[in-house]
């Protein structure tokens, strides 16, 4: 399992009391960058979910065990 990335659940938001997006990824930093840059069309682009949901500039996330 060397080099495996752990899956993480994360939450992005459109703003204070705005729309929330909950996602799962094995590359949290890369995925947050994609949200902020609008790399993909879809829900997060439509609703502007480009901000961390914590309000402190940090992305809320929980990592788990490696997926098999």
């Amino acid at each position: 399992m060397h080099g495996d990335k752990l899956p993480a659940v994360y939450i992005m938001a459109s703003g204070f009391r705005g729309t929330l997006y909950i996602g799962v990824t094995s590359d949290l930093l890369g995925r947050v960058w994609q949200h902020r840059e609008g790399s993909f069309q879809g829900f997060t682009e439509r609703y502007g979910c480009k901000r961390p949901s914590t309000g402190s500039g940090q992305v809320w996330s929980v990592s788990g065990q490696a997926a098999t």
Side-chain angles (χ1 to χ4, degrees):
M1 292 188 25
H2 180 66
D4 291 344
K5 294 183 178 182
L6 295 177
V9 176
Y10 65 97
I11 301 175
M12 302 292 285
S14 62
F16 183 71
R17 294 190 179 187
T19 303
L20 296 178
Y21 175 84
I22 301 171
V24 178
T25 184
S26 60
D27 181 11
L28 185 59
L29 294 177
R31 191 66 180 116
V32 169
W33 181 85
Q34 291 171 339
H35 280 289
R36 290 184 177 172
E37 295 298 314
S39 298
F40 297 103
Q41 294 181 353
F43 184 90
T44 58
E45 181 184 43
R46 173 185 271 176
Y47 294 99
C49 297
K50 297 183 176 188
R51 301 175 184 171
S53 63
T54 62
S56 64
Q58 297 176 342
V59 174
W60 183 91
S61 68
V62 175
S63 294
Q65 296 177 348
T68 56

